[in-house]
Amino acid sequence: MNTPPSPTALPAADWASRYRTLLENRMRWAVESLPPAGQPPAELQPHLASLLTLLSEADQQLGPHPLSVQLILGLHPWPLRWGMWPAWDSALRTAAQTAAFLGLADQQTYLLTALAELQIARGVLPQALEFAVQALKIARTQRALPPFAAAASALLLTLRTQGENIDAVQHLNEFQSEVERWSPPPDPQDLLEARARLHLHRAALLRIESRLSEALQAAHAALIALSSRSRQDPLFTEALQMRGTLYWARGEHHLAAQDFRRAAEILEQLGDSFEAVHVRGDLGLIHWSMAEYDTAEDLIRQSVIACEQSDAQWRL
């Protein structure tokens, strides 16, 4: 009786090589599956846990790899919207280290800025400050305005959250001067975005000093700077919220509600229902000021539930 020959086992080195190739192909597929920037990768949400496992396995088997950085940046900030804060914190840290190892300075800056913003949201302000300072230092060295503006914004938000408003004003003045003298001359849209970010911080700091008319002028300046961009822009919604907050502080409740409602609608259109819930929570406070208590209670309750589910301590 003839017996079939036993299959020849591949050497371990060949199996390891094939597995690394498989991992790299899966990483490439994941990156290519990402939608255009700013659009939520909704079809990937059910697979996020698997993607995080893939990233971890790729880090172990492939070592520092540019596809890992691309995938993390392409997914951010949506995993935070989906409530995976601790896991995403770890993924961002690993990606920032990978970007540093590979010499991807702009990407490292954005990842450090993302980490700073995440620590602010979690209430871990010393780490937020550390990440923001690191990001700012790299952006200055690279002379890249968009990463610089994002890092500067994170640093200013950290200082404001810590109540260090005098330092924040000093840094803001320095940043605005630096942006206007930026060399080499930046792309006009990048310059407008940087100006808008800083105008919004100016508005927030003036509000703290109860200089509401000047703060409102700064918020208007931010919206004007953004006027040539698409309204489907998260930064535009931030500007609407800032102006709405100032209207609210001035007792102009209907104008305030209008801006917050518009911001929430844009966020919904962008697919960012998580952030839209929080904006509607602030809208609830405005309705409370208008003595519309039932509407206020419903909106605020939705926001509190979303905060508790995602560990957004600073919002609570």
Side-chain angles (χ1 to χ4, degrees):
M1 178 177 179
N2 295 326
T3 57
S6 60
T8 302
L10 284 172
D14 286 349
W15 278 113
S17 176
R18 288 190 179 191
Y19 185 56
R20 286 194 295 270
T21 300
L22 175 64
L23 279 174
E24 190 167 5
N25 287 338
R26 290 179 64 195
M27 291 283 290
R28 187 170 289 107
W29 170 84
V31 169
E32 292 173 354
S33 299
L34 294 170
Q39 296 183 19
E43 70 280 2
L44 294 179
Q45 183 176 358
H47 309 291
L48 184 57
S50 297
L51 287 173
L52 291 173
T53 301
L54 173 62
L55 282 163
S56 176
E57 188 69 11
D59 185 56
Q60 294 177 36
Q61 299 295 329
L62 303 177
H65 201 289
L67 285 172
S68 298
V69 175
Q70 283 183 259
L71 184 55
I72 292 291
L73 285 172
L75 287 170
H76 186 76
W78 301 102
L80 301 179
R81 307 297 198 248
W82 302 332
M84 299 189 71
W85 288 43
W88 198 241
D89 182 284
S90 177
L92 287 171
R93 291 171 190 263
T94 300
Q97 293 170 358
T98 299
F101 181 85
L102 296 174
L104 304 173
D106 284 357
Q107 292 89 332
Q108 184 188 6
T109 303
Y110 280 123
L111 289 162
L112 289 169
T113 300
L115 279 165
E117 293 168 347
L118 177 51
Q119 305 320 307
I120 294 169
R122 299 182 69 188
V124 189
L125 298 181
Q127 280 194 25
L129 187 62
E130 180 182 339
F131 285 130
V133 169
Q134 288 181 46
L136 199 58
K137 181 178 180 181
I138 297 168
R140 277 195 172 113
T141 302
Q142 294 299 117
R143 304 306 300 165
L145 184 56
F148 170 83
S153 184
L155 177 60
L156 291 169
L157 180 56
T158 305
L159 292 172
R160 284 171 40 208
T161 306
Q162 291 183 146
E164 298 178 20
N165 299 321
I166 294 176
D167 284 349
V169 169
Q170 181 178 348
H171 278 91
L172 175 57
N173 291 338
E174 293 171 358
F175 292 152
Q176 287 189 310
S177 176
E178 200 168 348
V179 163
E180 297 305 324
R181 294 182 288 103
W182 198 264
S183 178
D187 178 274
Q189 288 299 318
D190 291 343
L191 180 58
L192 289 172
E193 178 181 334
R195 286 172 174 166
R197 287 182 181 276
L198 297 178
H199 282 315
L200 290 177
H201 286 286
R202 179 73 68 188
L205 289 163
L206 287 167
R207 179 196 170 209
I208 292 170
E209 297 177 8
S210 298
R211 296 160 64 181
L212 298 182
S213 295
E214 294 170 79
L216 196 55
Q217 289 175 5
H220 283 312
L223 286 164
I224 290 170
L226 296 170
S227 62
S228 61
R229 295 162 61 101
S230 168
R231 295 295 188 270
Q232 305 295 96
D233 184 331
L235 188 57
F236 184 74
T237 68
E238 288 183 36
L240 285 174
Q241 291 173 73
M242 175 56 69
R243 187 175 69 177
T245 299
L246 294 167
Y247 280 141
W248 183 20
R250 285 159 56 105
E252 300 175 65
H253 296 141
H254 289 287
L255 288 174
Q258 180 177 302
D259 274 349
F260 273 91
R261 195 174 296 113
R262 187 179 176 195
E265 289 170 355
I266 292 173
L267 288 165
E268 288 285 5
Q269 292 165 11
L270 288 169
D272 195 349
S273 55
F274 177 93
E275 191 65 25
V277 168
H278 295 305
V279 172
R280 288 198 171 95
D282 290 335
L283 178 59
L285 294 175
I286 296 170
H287 281 287
W288 187 273
S289 301
M290 299 165 69
E292 297 173 355
Y293 300 121
D294 290 341
T295 300
E297 183 179 358
D298 181 54
L299 291 168
I300 294 169
R301 182 183 291 110
Q302 292 177 39
S303 182
V304 168
I305 291 171
C307 288
E308 291 175 340
Q309 290 175 343
S310 59
D311 190 32
Q313 296 295 329
W314 74 285
R315 292 184 186 272
L316 289 171

